Amino acid sequence: MPRIYLSAPDLAGGELAMLGEAVASNWIAPLGPHVDGFEAEMSARLGVPYALALSSGTAALHLALLVLGVGAGDRVWTSTLTFAATANAIAYVGATPVFLDSERASWNMDPGILVDELERAARANELPKAVIVVDLYGQCADLEPIAAACKRHGVWLVEDAAEALGATYRGKPAGSFGDLAVLSFNGNKIITTSGGGMLLGARKEWIDRARFLATQAREPVAHYEHREVGYNYRLSNLLAAVGRVQLADLERRVARRRAIREHYRTTLGERPGWTFMPEASFGSSTFWLTCVTVGSPARRDALIASLAAVDIEARPVWKPMHLQPVFAGARVFGGAVAADLFHTGLCLPSGSGLTGADLERVVAAVQATPA
Ligand SMILES: Cc1ncc(COP(=O)(O)O)c(C=O)c1O
């Protein structure tokens, strides 16, 4: 039987035709009509005026911090429960990461902690230059109080919506919050270009500046003139062609991932100790990954092992950044909630390409594992 992956790429069907057309047109470059089209379609869908297609979500995070002027000596606060890319971008610009715990309602950054700690930091003259709030596993953080607190203190807000394209917060799309927002089209994401990302924002000068830095900081003159260090971060026109086809299929993908989570909930929801990652009242999640806490680390490890034995991939919830050796010594506000979610949390296969038979296989394998 074929291996069942956590979140395998899911073809919409038109990718090959669009790629063929792009190849035939000879636009095999990190610019071209599909890059422009992909940016325009994403910007229209999210209601954000400007978008920049990039080689990865990590590149988008890096450029977001550069554009906001974050550098050595600055502090950047972010969610501790995230993938390393969020925190790595802070390190790339030489800033100091500070980590914030999760709230139970959404598993995302606890807005109460943010509000209190920003007040305290303002009094101590220790405000961060920016906050990167992560929308985890397809669900938005509680963005309104987070954005309001940042605004009150003059702190830039970056929304890391890499995992949440298709989600909404109070009716507004993930990726449309913050001064800048970031998406990822990595192979495991809800839409994929194999690798890719996007930076979005309402200020033209920021997106123009990011485009310049992403194109080796090449001055707009015929000879090759450079006054700054730049990066090679643009998305290929071929990959943008794939992205456009995938984006047009987003609604189906969201509906499928939500249905997969519902299937797991109805078939496995009664297992002792199991609690599914909640859907917070303020938004609609894509359930990019179906996540569940299972009561103890031993149970979590036993489930991963028994699923692996029948060729099914399941993974622990992200290991929080404040527990990572690479960020040892970094400051953390709270941390116990994120640590608990990590120690007992599990992500189940959730790809929108999973069939009913695949889901039966996963459910049977879980049920065959002693509770
Ligand atoms: C929360 C988060 N931020 C950033 C990234 C980085 O995106 P990419 O893999 O496209 O660099 C990812 C995923 O890979 C992610 O899950």
Side-chain angles (χ1 to χ4, degrees):
M1 267 188 289
R3 180 166 171 77
I4 295 179
Y5 291 96
L6 197 65
S7 182
D10 177 20
L11 288 180
E15 287 89 346
L16 208 51
M18 195 81 140
L19 261 177
E21 180 273 319
V23 170
S25 73
N26 208 32
W27 277 108
I28 305 174
L31 81 177
H34 288 305
V35 173
D36 298 343
F38 193 32
E39 289 172 350
E41 284 153 17
M42 189 66 82
S43 135
R45 183 181 276 271
L46 301 189
V48 182
Y50 303 101
L52 174 65
L54 294 162
S55 54
S56 70
T58 308
L61 283 165
H62 185 191
L63 289 173
L65 295 180
L66 288 173
V67 159
L68 295 174
V70 179
D74 291 327
R75 279 172 290 267
V76 178
W77 293 9
T78 192
S79 319
T80 190
L81 193 61
T82 185
F83 178 59
T86 318
N88 284 344
I90 301 170
Y92 294 169
V93 298
T96 304
V98 175
F99 300 114
L100 275 78
D101 205 355
S102 299
E103 57 162 356
R104 294 252 173 217
S106 71
W107 292 20
N108 281 306
M109 182 184 286
D110 186 325
I113 295 179
L114 180 75
V115 168
D116 290 350
E117 293 301 337
L118 281 178
E119 290 293 340
R120 209 187 313 266
R123 286 196 298 273
N125 206 16
E126 284 181 352
L127 280 171
K129 183 113 179 199
V131 168
I132 307 178
V133 60
V134 179
D135 298 331
L136 202 66
Y137 294 128
Q139 169 154 268
C140 289
D142 194 356
L143 293 162
E144 249 166 31
I146 289 171
C150 287
K151 198 163 183 183
R152 206 157 48 241
H153 293 286
V155 173
W156 300 120
L157 180 64
V158 176
E159 183 193 6
D160 180 349
E163 301 178 6
L165 176 64
T168 59
Y169 176 82
R170 302 200 188 281
K172 272 189 69 188
S176 68
F177 292 85
D179 296 290
L180 287 164
V182 165
L183 299 173
S184 166
F185 315 121
N186 189 27
N188 61 357
K189 295 300 187 294
I190 197 157
I191 71 164
T192 183
T193 57
S194 75
M198 207 172 272
L199 181 68
L200 295 122
R203 281 214 204 168
K204 182 169 184 306
E205 68 271 23
W206 282 347
I207 301 299
D208 285 348
R209 168 92 182 137
R211 197 181 302 273
F212 168 75
L213 290 174
T215 321
Q216 301 285 23
R218 212 175 116 188
E219 296 293 332
V221 290
H223 65 276
Y224 291 87
E225 177 88 359
H226 302 270
R227 297 166 200 268
E228 293 178 69
V229 173
Y231 304 86
N232 181 5
Y233 276 172
R234 299 303 309 275
L235 184 69
S236 146
N237 191 58
L238 297 184
L239 301 186
V242 174
R244 294 179 80 182
V245 178
Q246 294 254 312
L247 182 60
D249 187 42
L250 181 61
E251 280 74 20
R252 183 194 66 81
R253 287 156 191 265
V254 172
R256 181 68 187 139
R257 290 202 189 239
R258 289 185 62 89
I260 288 169
R261 193 257 195 178
E262 192 52 26
H263 183 82
Y264 286 138
R265 223 179 49 78
T266 50
T267 50
L268 299 170
E270 302 299 310
R271 277 180 73 87
W274 274 45
T275 307
F276 281 78
M277 178 182 179
E279 184 170 40
S281 58
F282 50 64
S284 173
S285 174
T286 66
F287 295 115
W288 169 58
L289 295 185
T290 294
C291 303
V292 58
T293 53
V294 297
S296 76
R299 272 194 196 149
R300 193 268 312 268
D301 293 345
L303 278 160
I304 290 176
S306 71
L307 292 174
V310 289
D311 235 354
I312 298 171
E313 184 185 25
R315 293 277 185 111
V317 162
W318 299 129
K319 182 173 182 179
M321 291 303 112
H322 74 279
L323 300 179
Q324 297 287 357
V326 64
F327 295 115
R331 199 157 174 207
V332 56
F333 298 126
V337 173
D340 181 56
L341 295 172
F342 163 60
H343 285 125
T344 64
L346 179 73
C347 307
L348 291 168
S350 308
S352 49
L354 290 177
T355 64
D358 291 334
L359 292 182
E360 293 313 322
R361 240 179 92 193
V362 178
V363 169
V366 170
Q367 281 167 341
T369 311

